[in-house]
Amino acid sequence: MITEQQKMWMREAIALSSRNVDNGGGPFGAVIVKDGKIVAHGANRVTADNDPTAHAEVNAIRMAATKLGTFDLSGCEIYTSCEPCPMCLSAIYWAHIDRIYYGNTQYDAKAINFDDSFIYNELSLAPQHRNIPAERLLGEEAIATFNKWRDKDDKIEY
């Protein structure tokens, strides 16, 4: 059951997205909550910062990780004004965030020309069949570093 507090956090993400439009950014906002408190917020700053990775969710994750002093955001929830794109969804999974709440859907985003369906389609293709060609190069040499990592006793797993 959704609580009034959760609605308040979602409204904050939506308000961030609206203010961001007024400040030259895209219509996306996100907040990260831990233990009943907002620990981070983010807005889409792709065009404002000339950074294609500066999506609201990624910016909020960066802020939360810095503020909490950890790359593992287990115990956190993210409230985002729109269903996360493939990059943001991946970042949320990598950060180990427990739950995602979103306002607009990917189809709502597509209706205003934020269409990520081509990326979803690309992910299902073999690398050599994608629009941006990908080819393995020097795999036999690159594997040495992976073996070094595998054998390292004092590594921090993530």
Side-chain angles (χ1 to χ4, degrees):
M1 183 165 100
I2 300 297
T3 67
E4 289 304 312
Q5 188 76 33
Q6 290 170 312
K7 290 177 185 178
M8 184 184 76
W9 293 324
M10 178 57 75
R11 286 186 180 111
E12 179 60 24
I14 294 166
L16 279 167
S17 70
S18 181
R19 285 193 302 270
N20 199 52
V21 170
D22 296 336
N23 293 319
F28 304 96
V31 296
I32 295 178
V33 174
K34 184 171 185 164
D35 299 327
K37 294 184 178 119
I38 293 176
V39 296
H41 56 84
N44 181 291
R45 304 303 295 164
V46 170
T47 58
D49 295 348
N50 292 316
D51 179 353
T53 68
H55 290 203
E57 298 91 337
V58 170
N59 287 337
I61 288 168
R62 289 173 179 159
M63 180 184 281
T66 298
K67 186 172 181 181
L68 297 173
T70 181
F71 58 84
D72 184 347
L73 300 181
S74 296
C76 293
E77 299 175 334
I78 190 165
Y79 295 78
T80 179
S81 63
C82 186
E83 184 177 358
C85 74
M87 177 184 70
C88 292
L89 185 60
S90 296
I92 290 165
Y93 273 94
W94 278 111
H96 304 286
I97 291 174
D98 291 353
R99 191 167 184 101
I100 303 165
Y101 296 94
Y102 61 91
N104 294 310
T105 69
Q106 63 178 288
Y107 307 105
D108 297 326
K110 182 178 181 176
I112 61 165
N113 294 321
F114 288 95
D115 185 6
D116 295 321
S117 58
F118 73 97
I119 297 174
Y120 289 109
N121 294 336
E122 288 285 298
L123 292 172
S124 67
L125 299 175
Q128 67 273 17
H129 296 275
R130 294 178 183 155
N131 281 312
I132 299 175
E135 183 177 346
R136 188 170 185 200
L137 181 64
L138 298 179
E140 304 82 19
E141 293 179 32
I143 199 69
T145 305
F146 274 20
N147 292 337
K148 183 177 181 180
W149 170 259
R150 180 196 63 214
D151 298 338
K152 185 173 172 60
D153 292 327
D154 61 345
K155 66 182 170 245
I156 299 173
E157 302 264 358
Y158 59 96

